[in-house]
Amino acid sequence: MAPPNNPVNSILNRLRSSSLDQCFDLCKGKFSVKGCPLLHDVPSNVSFRPFSLVCNETESDAPFPLVQRVKALSHKGGFLGFNTDEPSDSVLNSLGRFADRNFLSIFRFKTWWSTQWVGTSGSDLQMETQWVVLDVPEIKSYVIIIPIIEGGFRSALRPGNDGHVMIFAESGSSHVKSCCFSSIAYVHVSENPFNLMKEAFSAIRVHLNTFKLLEEKSLPSMVDKFGWCTWDAFYLTVEPAGVWQGVKEFADAGVSLRFVIIDDGWQSINNDGDDPNEDAKNLVLGGEQMTARLHRFEECDKFRKYKGGSFLGSNALSFNPQKPRMLITKAIEIEHAVKARDKALQSGATDVSEFETKIKKLKQELDDMFEGEGSGLPNGNCESFDCKGDDFGLKAFTRDLRTEFKGLDDIWVWHALCGAWGGVRPGATHLDCKVVPCNVSPGLEGTMPDLAVDKIVEGGIGLVHPSQADDFFDSMHSHLSESGVTGVKVDVIHTLEYVSEEYGGRVNLAKAYYNGLSSSLSKNFKGTGIISSMQQCNDFFFLGTKQISMGRVGDDFWFQDPNGDPNGVFWLQGVHMIHCAYNSLWMGQIIQPDWDMFQSDHVCAKYHAGSRAICGGPVYLSDSLGCHNFDLIKKLVYPDGTIPKCQRFALPTRDCLFVNPLFDNKSLLKLWNFNKYGGVIGAFNCQGAGWDGKVRRIIGYPQCYKPVTGSVHITDIEWDQCMEAAAMGEAEEYVVYLDQAESLLPLTPKSNPIQVTIQSSSFEIFSFVPVKNLGPIAKFAPIGVTGMFNSGGTIQELDYNETGAAAARLKIKGSGNFLAYSNVAPKTCYLNGTEVAPEWSADGKLKLDLPWTEEANGISDVVFVF
């Protein structure tokens, strides 16, 4: 089962909290917590009911310990509701107002992506706010308001005038209406902001009974491994030869890929006007496929034509690794030419024949490149020759990959929740399917303009009837499973809300689809073989995560600004980290946060690598062919393709919760996490960009893109959030290793904070390790292999002998320089049973060079005797 971020001081008593005083009170237009006014001018149609009066926990399928935990804390939470005069499918109502109170919130800035926002008034909230945490220093506590699901409605918060917090409830169908809501939002209070998140979402889980927490689920096997995704390397041009070449480049460099994700481009798709039995031809860039639909559940001809053994042995087919880049470059030329033509038309030009001629010429050049740069596989479609059976197609390709690359555990593929971006083509399969026009919710009017939304709205979605959702997903997944595919990246998830009018509303449609998806995952991919993506909305988390245990917590990795800001190549990377860090606060209660891929040769690759090293999730890249920084990769990944992963998922430190690390000109993003034998803080300078609600875009703030000074202290780590780490938080002495500065410092809990200045798009990782007293003199603390960003993660086992000869016994994974702190030189040192001479200096640095021994999986046994 997945390890939750469990607080040590979990409630042990199992008494019903009805005997405890309720923390919240609504009286005469004032909503208070422990006697402290929180919301003023609450409308008379708003109600509050304690958790114990609303939730019947006996109806929940939650594990007994979870139910008991929620019951014991139920006096700390309750539900807000409201009534209106007329039933409607969308209702807007005030919950009251607040001002001059710091808040942290998460809002949807696109249909599928959410991010952080802070302010001091209800009017500072953004549209489609998923939750808001209010700082209540008067009682040294925090309160969270979470809009949730009730009946056929989902809800979100939005700003009102004069500090009012508005709640917007919608069903997504004119056939589903209501005027009475008794539990449309959940409120909870806690003295600890991290306990607050866990307690609140645990209560909602027991109440709704429509999703499961991370602690209840198993994780995909890839969570602690290294992989490669094909998207940025190929876009839609992905083909077997290119995938093979990419995997081979990592293997040739001594880095074993443990998983590969074949992203968009492998499916059988075409457009409504195309021959219904043929694949769309010569697609390259993202956007070109967004109105296309799935016409067959099996792979497209590029993969169907693959013949087993094509890349094995001395007669292996050759592949030009420059081919993808050449195709992408030409497609970008076409895209620019089309934009130039459209700009001319918008400016009033009547003759654009010159533009049309250029576009036609470029398209012909692209077609010629596809013909001239073949894959070495048979020409024509699969109907013209026999490419069926085990010796052809995806099944043969995955078998050959595993034959050649022994460490490759998982091969996953991409698909959209509805099949392809445009869904399934009506009449192309055995399923009942029709093209449904898209209706974008009024709540999304304040979100960022998005090409994907425009394209989907333009073409509508070929929606398989929800009654056949089980058959739909099984039809896709059973073929993949039989073909050697072990999991799926399910993307474009939050399109269901666009097409729910005729299907009982967005809640009922989502339930049908997510239940079908969950059933198929259990049958075909061991129940865990999925990454969810483009899913960052409360509908998904409250309705779609009974089975799903891992998902993206950030927007896509953008190697440059698609809107043309040349500095975006830098500032977009900090924005990505903010998405991931703050979304993990809530998403991490339900799924394992996935920080997405990046490219190792990007100008900010090291910056990304530092965050991935301590994020607590998988590490994977989207490098183009021949474009790798293996020196950097080897600071993240062991030769066997495993990673020195932190024990939990990274979260912002407490002093980062109510600040703006993107454009306040002064705040660092600090992340805390645990290793097995120490704690870690990552300090990142993300200043330089952020959301602008007026233009509805994330833009650069160049005046903020500069060095930032901040402080780091041992108490920034929330030691009590992990049972195994709690004792480490009570140590009297520590040493801290600064990864980038390569310095080792002693400190105590009473020491002054460490002052640090971080350059733009840069970082520092602080590894804190408790000092152990060994005998009357010796003091020892292991840091780990310093050649890895997360040095503390390299220590697999640690045991101290305090009787007789004082000694420290360690199992350490990795090669190169192992560093420890020791105030005295050890008397003896053994490496894998052989006595060796480590290097010790008077400043306490104890060093030992470790080998990588394949037979021992890279693990060295080390003993220091004092």
Side-chain angles (χ1 to χ4, degrees):
M1 303 297 285
N5 276 21
N6 267 326
V8 172
N9 301 319
S10 60
I11 303 301
L12 299 178
N13 70 77
R14 298 297 183 240
L15 298 174
R16 287 301 301 260
S17 64
S18 57
S19 63
L20 302 174
D21 291 335
Q22 297 295 325
C23 293
F24 291 99
D25 177 63
L26 176 58
C27 183
K28 297 181 180 179
K30 186 181 295 183
F31 185 58
S32 302
V33 56
K34 297 181 181 179
C36 176
L38 198 66
L39 297 174
H40 298 269
D41 297 335
V42 179
S44 59
N45 69 331
V46 172
S47 63
F48 171 77
R49 294 199 296 169
F51 182 90
S52 57
L53 295 182
V54 175
C55 180
N56 183 359
E57 60 272 359
T58 61
E59 297 179 357
S60 177
D61 64 2
F64 180 73
L66 174 57
V67 172
Q68 291 297 88
R69 194 171 78 212
V70 169
K71 287 169 61 177
L73 297 171
S74 61
H75 65 288
K76 299 172 66 176
F79 297 92
L80 292 170
F82 65 91
N83 295 323
T84 60
D85 294 333
E86 297 291 333
S88 176
D89 58 353
S90 61
V91 190
L92 183 66
N93 204 88
S94 171
L95 296 178
R97 66 172 179 83
F98 75 89
D100 301 320
R101 185 175 296 284
N102 289 332
F103 74 75
L104 165 67
S105 67
I106 290 290
F107 74 99
R108 278 205 288 174
F109 69 94
K110 288 186 178 181
T111 295
W112 4 78
W113 304 124
S114 296
T115 195
Q116 172 254 28
W117 190 252
V118 294
T120 59
S121 160
S123 297
D124 293 336
L125 291 169
Q126 297 296 306
M127 297 287 283
E128 274 297 301
T129 290
Q130 307 292 286
W131 53 260
V132 59
V133 171
L134 303 175
D135 187 15
V136 194
E138 302 96 310
I139 56 172
K140 298 181 180 179
S141 295
Y142 307 85
V143 171
I144 189 167
I145 305 174
I146 309 174
I148 60 172
I149 306 289
E150 183 175 359
F153 284 71
R154 59 80 65 173
S155 59
L157 302 177
R158 57 169 65 173
N161 296 325
D162 301 320
H164 277 267
V165 180
M166 310 300 292
I167 188 163
F168 180 64
E170 58 182 329
S171 70
S173 172
S174 60
H175 306 293
V176 180
K177 298 181 180 181
S178 183
C179 62
C180 181
F181 303 94
S182 61
S183 53
I184 196 64
Y186 180 72
V187 293
H188 196 90
V189 61
S190 179
E191 296 177 356
N192 182 308
F194 304 102
N195 290 354
L196 178 74
M197 287 292 174
K198 181 171 184 60
E199 293 169 8
F201 283 94
S202 295
I204 296 170
R205 183 266 182 264
V206 170
H207 166 64
L208 290 179
N209 204 34
T210 54
F211 69 99
K212 291 184 179 180
L213 300 176
L214 176 61
E215 65 186 80
E216 301 178 70
K217 296 177 284 197
S218 299
L219 293 174
S221 60
M222 66 191 288
V223 70
D224 58 356
K225 296 175 183 176
F226 173 65
W228 177 58
C229 176
T230 63
W231 178 243
D232 287 312
F234 304 99
Y235 297 133
L236 303 173
T237 71
V238 64
E239 59 179 310
V243 176
W244 189 278
Q245 176 68 25
V247 178
K248 183 176 183 297
E249 288 178 2
F250 286 96
D252 289 347
V255 178
S256 176
L257 288 174
R258 300 298 290 270
F259 67 89
V260 168
I261 301 173
I262 301 174
D263 212 293
D264 198 358
W266 70 272
Q267 291 178 299
S268 297
I269 62 172
N270 57 31
N271 292 293
D272 290 343
D274 295 344
D275 184 319
N277 298 312
E278 290 194 7
D279 297 333
K281 304 299 183 187
N282 299 352
L283 300 178
V284 181
L285 301 179
E288 299 176 17
Q289 85 287 29
M290 290 179 179
T291 55
R293 313 190 201 284
L294 208 61
H295 71 86
R296 182 176 58 222
F297 294 130
E298 294 81 17
E299 60 272 24
C300 66
D301 281 353
K302 289 184 295 183
F303 284 84
R304 290 178 81 201
K305 290 188 295 185
Y306 178 81
K307 187 177 189 307
S310 293
F311 302 121
L312 296 173
S314 57
N315 295 321
L317 298 174
S318 61
F319 178 74
N320 178 6
Q322 298 302 315
K323 174 186 175 182
R325 181 167 295 186
M326 293 163 57
L327 294 172
I328 291 168
T329 300
K330 183 60 65 175
I332 291 173
E333 278 191 74
I334 296 171
E335 184 177 73
H336 289 168
V338 170
K339 287 181 178 179
R341 178 201 62 192
D342 294 346
K343 184 177 180 180
L345 287 169
Q346 291 169 4
S347 300
T350 56
D351 182 6
V352 291
S353 57
E354 186 176 337
F355 292 99
E356 297 290 1
T357 300
K358 181 178 181 180
I359 292 168
K360 183 178 180 181
K361 177 176 178 293
L362 290 172
K363 286 184 175 180
Q364 184 59 55
E365 290 173 356
L366 179 65
D367 291 342
D368 292 343
M369 290 170 65
F370 270 104
E371 293 298 322
E373 289 287 345
S375 63
L377 300 177
N379 292 320
N381 61 35
C382 281
E383 308 304 325
S384 61
F385 58 91
D386 183 12
C387 58
K388 299 179 181 179
D390 292 351
D391 287 336
F392 282 90
L394 197 56
K395 185 172 187 177
F397 182 55
T398 60
R399 184 178 62 239
D400 284 357
L401 279 172
R402 290 190 172 97
T403 298
E404 181 70 12
F405 306 104
K406 303 298 184 184
L408 189 58
D409 300 319
D410 287 295
I411 301 169
W412 289 23
V413 299
W414 176 101
H415 72 76
L417 180 67
C418 293
W421 284 85
V424 176
R425 186 165 178 171
T429 71
H430 67 284
L431 298 171
D432 177 12
C433 175
K434 73 174 184 177
V435 176
V436 180
C438 294
N439 296 310
V440 179
S441 163
L444 292 170
E445 291 174 358
T447 57
M448 185 173 174
D450 189 346
L451 171 66
V453 173
D454 295 342
K455 287 289 188 180
I456 292 171
V457 170
E458 172 190 328
I461 295 175
L463 189 72
V464 172
H465 195 277
S467 64
Q468 294 183 314
D470 286 49
D471 191 355
F472 169 50
F473 287 111
D474 186 56
S475 294
M476 284 194 292
H477 294 166
S478 59
H479 169 72
L480 292 172
S481 179
E482 292 167 2
S483 299
V485 171
T486 53
V488 284
K489 172 185 174 182
V490 179
D491 216 352
V492 207
I493 284 180
H494 242 277
T495 49
L496 291 179
E497 65 179 273
Y498 295 166
V499 291
S500 59
E501 169 65 24
E502 299 178 27
Y503 300 100
R506 59 195 287 175
V507 172
N508 288 329
L509 178 59
K511 284 181 178 179
Y513 261 68
Y514 294 142
N515 287 341
L517 176 60
S518 296
S519 297
S520 181
L521 291 173
S522 296
K523 176 185 175 183
N524 296 297
F525 300 128
K526 300 181 180 179
T528 60
I530 183 172
I531 295 175
S532 55
S533 180
M534 299 177 73
Q535 85 298 11
Q536 294 169 9
C537 181
N538 54 10
D539 301 43
F540 169 78
F541 286 96
F542 293 149
L543 299 172
T545 54
K546 277 197 169 183
Q547 194 68 44
I548 296 171
S549 61
M550 187 161 74
R552 290 269 302 279
V553 290
D555 188 2
D556 291 334
F557 160 74
W558 291 96
F559 62 88
Q560 62 185 15
D561 179 22
N563 294 306
D565 184 347
N567 292 320
V569 68
F570 298 103
W571 57 250
L572 270 168
Q573 316 317 318
V575 170
H576 182 92
M577 291 181 194
I578 294 298
H579 297 335
C580 294
Y582 289 89
N583 275 326
S584 293
L585 284 164
W586 69 299
M587 296 180 189
Q589 308 305 323
I590 302 171
I591 58 171
Q592 166 65 48
D594 167 24
W595 281 51
D596 196 22
M597 57 206 174
F598 68 101
Q599 292 179 311
S600 70
D601 69 335
H602 189 270
V603 64
C604 293
K606 187 177 180 181
Y607 185 51
H608 275 284
S611 69
R612 302 310 191 278
I614 63 169
C615 75
V619 174
Y620 57 115
L621 302 173
S622 192
D623 287 0
S624 297
L625 299 184
C627 299
H628 314 285
N629 182 343
F630 285 111
D631 289 339
L632 180 72
I633 293 169
K634 291 175 182 179
K635 288 179 69 66
L636 277 171
V637 184
Y638 296 125
D640 65 359
T642 60
I643 57 175
K645 190 178 82 71
C646 285
Q647 300 292 294
R648 311 289 174 179
F649 50 87
L651 292 173
T653 57
R654 196 176 296 211
D655 59 350
C656 285
L657 294 181
F658 300 102
V659 301
N660 181 354
L662 280 175
F663 57 97
D664 70 1
N665 251 325
K666 61 183 180 181
S667 300
L668 294 171
L669 170 65
K670 294 190 297 180
L671 304 173
W672 61 270
N673 208 334
F674 303 111
N675 287 310
K676 199 171 180 180
Y677 300 104
V680 61
I681 294 286
F684 297 83
N685 184 347
C686 300
Q687 294 282 333
W691 176 253
D692 186 324
K694 295 179 181 178
V695 299
R696 295 190 297 129
R697 269 181 47 198
I698 293 172
I699 64 171
Y701 288 84
Q703 69 275 18
C704 301
Y705 193 72
K706 60 185 181 181
V708 175
T709 298
S711 63
V712 174
H713 194 266
I714 186 69
T715 54
D716 287 336
I717 300 171
E718 302 283 336
W719 298 98
D720 68 345
Q721 293 296 300
C722 174
M723 190 173 298
E724 297 81 6
M728 293 190 290
E730 297 174 357
E732 296 180 355
E733 294 180 89
Y734 298 85
V735 291
V736 56
Y737 179 70
L738 281 65
D739 174 77
Q740 296 297 286
E742 299 183 355
S743 62
L744 189 66
L745 304 173
L747 73 161
T748 72
K750 296 181 180 179
S751 297
N752 291 327
I754 302 169
Q755 298 298 312
V756 60
T757 297
I758 308 292
Q759 300 298 312
S760 298
S761 302
S762 297
F763 69 98
E764 182 59 271
I765 294 176
F766 301 78
S767 295
F768 292 88
V769 185
V771 173
K772 181 71 173 180
N773 293 320
L774 291 174
I777 300 176
K779 296 182 177 185
F780 180 82
I783 301 301
V785 177
T786 58
M788 308 298 282
F789 285 118
N790 183 26
S791 54
T794 65
I795 302 172
Q796 310 292 295
E797 294 181 22
L798 172 62
D799 180 53
Y800 292 111
N801 181 19
E802 301 178 66
T803 59
R809 295 182 173 85
L810 304 97
K811 289 185 181 295
I812 307 154
K813 186 164 184 174
S815 60
N817 180 54
F818 167 77
L819 175 66
Y821 166 80
S822 179
N823 66 327
V824 295
K827 294 178 181 178
T828 316
C829 174
Y830 297 94
L831 172 60
N832 297 325
T834 301
E835 185 171 343
V836 295
E839 178 185 338
W840 179 82
S841 56
D843 60 0
K845 290 182 178 179
L846 178 62
K847 299 179 181 179
L848 181 65
D849 189 54
L850 301 181
W852 178 271
T853 306
E854 200 69 41
E855 296 75 18
N857 296 316
I859 297 175
S860 296
D861 290 298
V862 177
V863 180
F864 295 105
V865 181
F866 294 92

